[in-house]
Amino acid sequence: MKIGLDIMGGDYAPKATVLGAIAAHQNLSKDQHLVLFGDKDQITPILEAQNFNPDFFEYVQTSEVIGMGEHPTKAIVQKANSSISVGFQQLKEGKIDSFASAGNTGAMLVGAMFSVKAIEGVLRPAISTVIPKEKGGFGLLVDAGANADCKPEHLVQFAIMGSLYAKHIYQIEQPKVGLMNLGEEEEKGNMLTQATYPLLKTNNSINFAGNIEGRDLFNAKADIIVCDGFTGNVVLKLAESFYVLTLKKGFKDDFFDRFNYEQYGGSPILGVNAPVIIGHGISSPEAIKNMILLSKDMVETQIIEKFKTAFNS
């Protein structure tokens, strides 16, 4: 197994990414290798400072970096020797089994769609993110920002992919799917949710629990919460602010501590032909480590093949 990591992506790269790679290496078996994409001249001093043997990693030298504020499509096309572009090229060619970056989110989405492309039958790949539950465990929110505008059939596919991902990556048996809405009743909502509800209700491949409201995000009513990416991204950013606020207020609570993004590493793009994970721009070494370990889990569980089987059938 070869796990690709963009060591130039993120606000604290390359130091945070390299330190995260070192930490992740301790949790990998002998047949699991990290391939680092970036400027090796910047990597080497960090490894030396940690007394870490550089031979434990493989390296792909790149000379360009896609900045956080750059236009995703233009950057992917114009910066062919960037760490993100080269990483996706090697993923497409099968030289690595997964690719992760804490860099430009848009570039990661565009790169995934241009290189490994969407799984046949998947209309819109989506971003999944973790939502902690009040009484332990956690659920998944799909979509968290890839698709601002959606059709009902997109949300149905998000539910299918989210259910498979929760079952095989997080061992949640028969995950309950909830449709984010402004009321519990079947007839509530806008045109999108009203049209989506009957499609989810009659789909035998998911365990549909009905509509859920914002107050149900953190309870046990649903394991998978589906919504359009605009709504999902607002929910995600609001949830992330909880942890930051508790730190600012000096408030210590086990539940709110679980909103710390570092624990989950990154958000996978569900529905493309290879494991691709997007990390938070402010990813720390701990977050990078967990992003790498999530990449490993996605490869080991063959989750992409399970998506392909579901949609090709």
Side-chain angles (χ1 to χ4, degrees):
M1 181 192 301
K2 292 192 175 184
I3 302 169
L5 175 67
D6 167 23
I7 58 97
M8 308 304 293
D11 294 345
Y12 306 121
K15 186 174 182 179
T17 46
V18 174
L19 292 179
I22 292 172
H25 173 76
Q26 316 302 323
N27 295 275
L28 300 178
S29 62
K30 291 183 179 180
D31 62 342
Q32 296 167 341
H33 305 283
L34 274 172
V35 181
L36 308 186
F37 292 81
D39 184 358
K40 191 175 180 181
D41 290 340
Q42 294 188 50
I43 302 172
T44 302
I46 303 171
L47 297 176
E48 290 176 349
Q50 299 297 314
N51 294 316
F52 187 82
N53 185 351
D55 294 339
F56 286 141
F57 296 147
E58 295 181 34
Y59 307 89
V60 177
Q61 180 70 19
T62 64
S63 59
E64 297 176 301
V65 178
I66 296 178
M68 296 300 242
E70 291 192 62
H71 187 282
T73 305
K74 289 182 180 178
I76 286 287
V77 173
Q78 295 173 359
K79 292 187 172 181
N81 198 38
S82 66
S83 49
I84 287 179
S85 297
V86 175
F88 274 118
Q89 184 61 33
Q90 293 220 356
L91 186 65
K92 177 182 178 180
E93 295 171 356
K95 294 179 180 178
I96 55 177
D97 298 298
S98 66
F99 184 57
S101 173
N104 187 305
T105 298
M108 288 294 289
L109 284 166
V110 171
M113 293 301 293
F114 279 9
S115 60
V116 293
K117 305 184 184 306
I119 291 170
E120 184 178 356
V122 173
L123 301 171
R124 294 272 190 91
I127 296 176
S128 169
T129 193
V130 171
I131 297 292
K133 294 296 185 178
E134 183 180 3
K135 294 185 177 180
F138 48 82
L140 296 175
L141 178 70
V142 190
D143 176 25
N147 306 282
D149 297 298
C150 292
K151 295 179 179 180
E153 52 267 34
H154 299 150
L155 298 192
V156 174
Q157 291 197 345
F158 297 169
I160 294 170
M161 291 189 291
S163 295
L164 288 169
Y165 187 84
K167 179 179 180 180
H168 295 288
I169 299 295
Y170 295 121
Q171 290 78 52
I172 302 175
E173 287 297 326
Q174 294 188 321
K176 295 175 289 186
V177 174
L179 175 63
M180 177 56 69
N181 210 332
L182 48 74
E184 295 182 351
E185 296 82 3
E186 183 172 347
E187 68 276 5
K188 286 289 184 72
N190 57 17
M191 293 179 64
L192 173 61
T193 56
Q194 288 177 10
T196 302
Y197 190 104
L199 298 181
L200 293 173
K201 185 178 180 179
T202 57
N203 192 300
N204 295 325
S205 62
I206 62 172
N207 179 19
F208 185 47
N211 287 328
I212 69 163
E213 299 178 81
R215 62 187 177 189
D216 297 315
L217 274 171
F218 311 119
N219 63 31
K221 186 170 181 179
D223 302 299
I224 313 298
I225 298 131
V226 295
C227 57
D228 62 85
F230 184 94
T231 302
N233 194 259
V234 171
V235 170
L236 170 62
K237 297 298 171 56
L238 176 63
E240 287 180 343
S241 72
F242 293 163
Y243 177 67
V244 176
L245 286 171
T246 60
L247 292 181
K248 288 183 177 179
K249 299 292 185 179
F251 176 61
K252 183 69 175 176
D253 182 87
D254 289 342
F255 173 63
F256 287 110
D257 285 348
R258 291 166 54 222
F259 282 86
N260 183 357
Y261 73 95
E262 293 181 328
Q263 299 180 38
Y264 312 110
S267 299
I269 303 176
L270 305 184
V272 293
N273 280 295
V276 176
I277 299 178
I278 302 172
H280 204 297
I282 58 171
S283 287
S284 64
E286 179 70 12
I288 296 296
K289 180 194 79 172
N290 286 325
M291 182 168 65
I292 293 168
L293 297 180
L294 178 56
S295 299
K296 175 183 74 73
D297 290 342
M298 290 184 72
V299 176
E300 283 183 330
T301 59
Q302 299 183 316
I303 189 63
I304 305 301
E305 295 305 315
K306 291 174 173 60
F307 287 156
K308 290 179 180 179
T309 299
F311 286 99
N312 291 339
S313 60

